[in-house]
Amino acid sequence: MSEFSIQTELEVLELLVEESPCHVMEITNAVDGHPITIDQTCAHLHSEGCIVPLGRGLYEITDAGEQRLEIQHDS
């Protein structure tokens, strides 16, 4: 995974810690990303168990997502 992708994932997770649940378009605007990139990022984070879709484009962070942020901030 590229450095850009990791940074984008961290930005998405940080936003969801502060404002969860959050719609994918709100995430896109907040992290200043392209909608397709953010959609792919959310899909990847979901596949890793870091976020969970609530339907209608809403996502919520999971405990695993919060732990991943803590690990990233500690390194």
Side-chain angles (χ1 to χ4, degrees):
M1 199 161 243
S2 71
E3 185 66 32
F4 173 76
S5 299
I6 293 169
Q7 184 60 38
T8 303
E9 287 183 358
L10 294 177
E11 289 176 14
V12 169
L13 291 173
E14 288 170 351
L15 175 67
L16 289 173
V17 164
E18 307 237 343
E19 300 178 34
S20 193
C22 202
H23 191 273
V24 70
M25 288 310 296
E26 293 173 308
I27 297 168
T28 300
N29 293 334
V31 302
D32 195 28
H34 190 278
I36 293 173
T37 303
I38 300 305
D39 193 48
Q40 291 172 341
T41 300
C42 288
H44 184 256
L45 287 170
H46 176 245
S47 73
E48 293 194 339
C50 294
I51 64 174
V52 61
L54 301 177
R56 300 183 187 227
L58 287 173
Y59 287 94
E60 184 172 70
I61 194 164
T62 64
D63 290 340
E66 290 182 16
Q67 289 173 354
R68 180 170 172 187
L69 265 180
E70 289 176 21
I71 291 167
Q72 289 292 330
H73 289 304
D74 290 343
S75 60

